[in-house]
Amino acid sequence: MTQDRLGREWRPEILDEQIETDRVRVRELRADASIDVLDSLSDMRAELTKLVPKLSDALRDEPSRWIYYSWRRTLVATLGPLSFRRLRLDRNRNRITLADQEKLQGQRVGVVGQSVGHLVAHTLAMGGLCGELRLADFDRTELSNLNRVPATLLDLGINKAVVTARRVAELDPYIRVEVFDHGLTEQSMARFLDGLDLVLDECDSLDIKVMVREVARERGIPVLMATSDRGLFDVERFDLEPKRAIFHGVVGDLRAADLRGLSTRDKVPYVLRILEPDKMSAVVAASMAEIDQTITTWPQLAEDVTVGAASAAAAVRRIGVGERTESGRTRVDLDVVLGERTPPLAAAASQPPHSTANGATGAPTSTDPITAIMRAASLAPSGGNSQPWAFSINEGRFDLHLVPERTSTMDVAFRASYLCIGAALCNARIAAAAAGLLGPAEIFPAGPDGPVASLHLEPGTDPGLAAELPAMLDRCANRRPGVPAPLDPDPVAELTALVATEGAALRLLTDRAVIEDCAELLGQTDRLRYLTPHLHAEMMNELRWPGEDGLDTGLDVRTLELDAADLAKLSVIRRADVLAQLAQWGGGQVLGEPMRDSVRAASALAVVSMRGADPVDYVRVGSAVERLWIRAQAGGLGVQPVSPVFLYARGAADIESLVGTAYRGELAQLAEQFRSLSAVPEDEELALVLRLSHAPRPTVRSQRMSLTALLRPGSGRVPGLAADG
Ligand SMILES: Cc1cc2nc3c(=O)[nH]c(=O)nc-3n(C[C@H](O)[C@H](O)[C@H](O)COP(=O)(O)O)c2cc1C
């Protein structure tokens, strides 16, 4: 077969054996020994069955086709058009939803010029961004095109539009293609443009460029153009702006007719105005002066052309699905982008820790008893390490105040804050007992507007409390997963009794089936927390990246004990736009996975509850929680609160204040299920849920604000603070 005969063929024959004439044709072709037959249909079908969600029977059982590529003398078995498209474009989801894929299939796109245009057309076809392509070029493929056009030696001498059409046919025989192998002329222009949704101008003739725009504007067709220098990309939305001047007005009211008979030299000023000489790359601008002298034409690299094709494909997709894509000019300049590199986030997070194993606070232990008491209070746990407290020392009293600004949505009615201040009071009492300064403690001694708690510092002690000092200083959240080995029965009885002495109740869930159910449930509540924009924002605002952020408040990401893969995931799920997208799809099951996995790895869940939901009740239960935490950790267990979003919600209005109307039903149901799983009766309030694990010590501990920052203005003098604060 000579190149001449085959050189014009580009249309694949699509043969359906359900049709008699096609069946005969397939038989003929298969009988021809000079024709290769390729059949990987069974692989395609196997791949089809693996798709999720499962395909309808109609799609799975769609009759196959034979495709005959005459220029390759090859017959290929393939899936029918619908299943073929579904499978070929499966990996476009969710970047392009199935509904949007459907829309894009309806697009008819013209591509004028088949050098850059070859890549553009092929990229559009590859992405499923159009259902029909019209390709124009009069020129033939030459060896010097192969630095940027992904044609091959086998294509040399063949019309460039034909070469593109073949590539498209070999990629997807079902895309409708028309070839204009005489290029575009005044005569063929209307036929080329009629009925198109978009046109890409990738030709190098100024006359044709102007004419394409004039005729496209008359028909309300947008024109896009990628110019392979510094990623220049133009969008002219003649569909939205029927009177818009061509080339954004830079060539005035130039018309195609004005160019007739002009020499190349006379056209130069227009070309330069379009290219904006002051913004061109120096190399290309200088090369302009060298054309025909030291170089044949202006230089173009494969990477430039590829970026242009990528911009074109993105614009065609955006316009096709109705995303904002206004008229104008932009530059996707790789030299600029690659010159502005920044280290990835994960690298910052994996920098060696600068606090040590004991370095929760990095604080020197104080010899001054009042400073030691304040420091002990500041070491109490708090949601997101928010430290919602401030301290003052007045007339022999240590007062703990609420700082309402450090609250968050989950801290409904400051219930969590009160609990934390209760824990801080507990720590202060332990330190005071150890210092022999333990007087009585009062909760809200001056009513709701005064301090939340006061500890009188006067001679006195409690040996039991004082003995807790080292374990209290050591207490920390341990987020390492651990292994789900059973708990020793002894500590269970001891912990339950301990919590009871503080007027609270402890339910230790140790049954594996119950833990599994709780893991699932807590995973679900975490998912809702991620998907609710303000809760997600608050959660992400708690994170601190060593090397970038101060670590005295919030959660140092290293304390989350994430491995490299989890850190990488975190850098994705911290993005509000990503979460909004998941919420829109009703997806994001994976968001609950870390919580599910960590609860599954626990040996027990400790559910602390109490009677009464007044602030004073939360302050009291705070002490119970702290004592439980200290003792459990001292007994060798890892302790980590796992707070469901509904933890501090009391009733429907609270639930709605957390997750809005979007998830209130779901969250209320989860809250109810949790109560029944954990067997907390209706007349008790949840205080905290903690996982107890057999886990190694945490890698890094959280730090705290300085005592000077925590001391209220006007507070009495604290000896020794200058040195410590
Ligand atoms: C009311 C409350 C809720 C908490 N919720 C969680 C939680 O859901 N997940 C978690 O990993 N840690 C939780 N924590 C632990 C805090 O993040 C931790 O106490 C704080 O970062 C200080 O660190 P430290 O306890 O290691 O000193 C909670 C703590 C409190 C007091």
Side-chain angles (χ1 to χ4, degrees), residues 79-131:
L79 297 172
L82 299 179
S83 43
F84 178 89
R85 191 164 298 146
R86 178 65 184 78
L87 178 57
R88 189 175 79 77
L89 301 179
D90 181 66
R91 304 306 192 267
N92 280 0
R93 295 181 314 134
N94 296 324
R95 286 286 274 112
I96 310 178
T97 62
L98 283 178
D100 282 343
Q101 288 188 20
E102 199 62 40
K103 265 191 226 164
L104 293 168
Q105 282 302 319
Q107 292 210 106
R108 286 174 293 186
V109 181
V111 185
V112 187
Q114 294 301 317
S115 291
V116 177
H118 176 121
L119 242 98
V120 169
H122 188 252
T123 309
L124 298 182
M126 199 157 43
L129 305 177
C130 60

Side-chain angles (χ1 to χ4, degrees), residues 189-382:
M189 188 64 75
R191 193 161 55 82
F192 181 81
L193 288 172
D194 273 345
L196 287 185
D197 296 297
L198 280 147
V199 64
L200 280 126
D201 166 23
E202 301 301 344
C203 74
D204 47 17
S205 150
L206 181 62
D207 307 45
I208 297 295
K209 283 179 174 305
V210 172
M211 208 188 304
V212 163
R213 282 167 177 74
E214 284 175 351
V215 182
R217 184 171 55 183
E218 277 166 21
R219 285 161 173 70
I221 304 170
V223 176
L224 311 178
M225 176 171 75
T227 307
S228 317
D229 180 47
R230 296 193 50 212
L232 182 60
F233 189 72
D234 286 280
V235 177
E236 296 172 79
R237 295 295 303 263
F238 297 125
D239 52 332
L240 306 177
E241 301 161 82
K243 293 199 165 49
R244 187 178 173 85
I246 65 168
F247 287 117
H248 319 296
V250 297
V251 292
D253 57 2
L254 174 74
R255 282 173 314 224
D258 304 334
L259 291 169
R260 222 168 277 141
L262 287 192
S263 67
T264 308
R265 195 189 150 82
D266 293 336
K267 291 177 192 167
V268 166
Y270 295 115
V271 174
L272 282 180
R273 271 195 257 160
I274 294 170
L275 291 178
E276 290 185 288
D278 53 328
K279 301 222 176 86
M280 287 163 75
S281 67
V283 170
V284 168
S287 298
M288 290 283 186
E290 291 292 299
I291 292 176
D292 290 335
Q293 306 284 321
T294 57
I295 52 176
T296 323
T297 183
W298 66 309
Q300 268 186 323
L301 299 184
E303 66 216 46
D304 296 331
V305 174
T306 307
V307 166
S311 300
V316 168
R317 172 178 55 75
R318 293 177 64 91
I319 293 173
V321 301
E323 277 179 31
R324 216 183 101 199
T325 313
E326 287 161 358
S327 294
R329 167 164 279 191
T330 184
R331 282 193 163 77
V332 184
D333 187 341
L334 292 186
D335 284 326
V336 170
V337 176
L338 294 176
E340 287 173 358
R341 280 155 301 153
T342 48
L345 269 179
S350 58
Q351 281 170 12
H354 54 215
S355 62
T356 52
N358 95 344
T361 58
T365 37
S366 176
T367 46
D368 166 64
I370 297 182
T371 310
I373 291 166
M374 276 177 61
R375 168 115 32 237
S378 78
L379 288 180
S382 56

Side-chain angles (χ1 to χ4, degrees), residues 360 379-386 410 416-417 419-420 423 475-479 526 529 542 554-555 559-560 595 625 629 640-644 647-648 687-689 700-704:
L379 288 180
S382 56
N385 199 19
S386 59
M410 269 179 69
S417 291
L419 182 148
C420 299
R475 184 217 56 83
C476 62
N478 187 342
R479 301 186 179 90
D526 245 26
R529 189 173 174 198
E542 284 171 0
L555 299 176
T559 66
L560 304 181
M595 174 65 102
V625 165
W629 194 330
Q640 178 200 359
V642 281
S643 307
L647 187 60
Y648 300 110
L688 200 59
V689 184
V700 173
R701 286 180 57 186
S702 280
Q703 300 186 26
R704 293 295 190 275

